[in-house]
Amino acid sequence: MDWYFTVFELIDMRSFSNLWFWIVLAVVWSSASHWVLGVPFDMVSRAKRRGGQAAEDLRDLLRINTGRLLYITEEAGLWIVAVGTFFLAGFVVLGWFYAVEIAQALFLIGFPMAMVSLLSVRTARLLRADGLELDAIYKRLSRHRLVVQAIGMVSIFVTAMWGMYVNLSIGVLGG
């Protein structure tokens, strides 16, 4: 029993003081800003610089990914929004009314990612309307990535501030 207590004293299992939570947060936002509509952004940069086959590969991959995203949205979009809203509302209730720290942490990751998902659907629709013209692709994907990075910066800042508040209040209260 003493070993069990020592291990859990060393590895804090609360969300905001757990290193794994911060690693997951960094990976989520790094991935979200790198993979723009399922296309790695370095592929967008290479296609813009070189053109030719790289641009055609980008157009093909984007056509496949936007078609897939829009198909899923048209077929199951309402259900996805309903289930996502249910979970996010549950995280809010559990996190802030019942003080469940993991629910707060999941909401602080999930809510901004839901905004990114809605933004991705909007960008996919705009790209489809543009007819996947290369200049429009570069412009829209760059703008999309910039907005995703802005959402990520605000999200990380808010999560860090809330996490520090929670850690300091628990440390002061001795809980």
Side-chain angles (χ1 to χ4, degrees):
M1 190 69 162
D2 188 37
W3 179 82
Y4 181 79
F5 178 77
T6 305
V7 167
F8 281 102
E9 186 69 25
L10 180 65
I11 304 170
D12 195 359
M13 297 312 257
R14 292 178 297 127
S15 297
F16 296 113
S17 60
N18 191 331
L19 177 63
W20 291 109
F21 169 75
W22 297 105
I23 291 172
V24 166
L25 184 70
V27 167
V28 163
W29 285 110
S30 175
S31 297
S33 69
H34 179 69
W35 292 90
V36 181
L37 293 178
V39 176
F41 198 74
D42 62 295
M43 187 175 192
V44 176
S45 301
R46 184 173 48 250
K48 190 173 183 178
R49 259 191 337 267
R50 294 185 186 168
Q53 186 60 44
E56 289 305 313
D57 291 346
L58 171 67
R59 183 181 287 154
D60 291 341
L61 187 56
L62 196 58
R63 180 185 49 78
I64 292 167
N65 287 337
T66 56
R68 183 176 170 267
L69 178 62
L70 293 176
Y71 175 77
I72 291 170
T73 301
E74 291 162 4
E75 293 295 316
L78 184 61
W79 284 103
I80 293 170
V81 169
V83 170
T85 303
F86 173 79
F87 278 106
L88 289 174
F91 293 152
V92 167
V93 170
L94 287 172
W96 280 274
F97 291 107
Y98 292 104
V100 177
E101 195 174 313
I102 186 69
Q104 292 173 359
L106 289 172
F107 178 81
L108 290 170
I109 292 175
F111 179 71
M113 288 307 294
M115 291 191 308
V116 168
S117 297
L118 293 174
L119 180 68
S120 295
V121 170
R122 179 179 174 268
T123 303
R125 285 189 175 142
L126 291 171
L127 283 169
R128 178 185 276 176
D130 290 341
L132 294 176
E133 185 179 317
L134 283 174
D135 290 334
I137 288 173
Y138 302 142
K139 185 177 180 181
R140 292 223 186 267
L141 291 183
S142 295
R143 187 178 303 143
H144 178 83
R145 183 176 190 230
L146 185 66
V147 173
V148 168
Q149 287 175 332
I151 292 170
M153 287 188 316
V154 170
S155 173
I156 290 170
F157 178 77
V158 168
T159 303
M161 291 298 111
W162 183 253
M164 283 190 283
Y165 170 76
V166 167
N167 286 334
L168 289 174
S169 65
I170 287 175
V172 169
L173 298 175

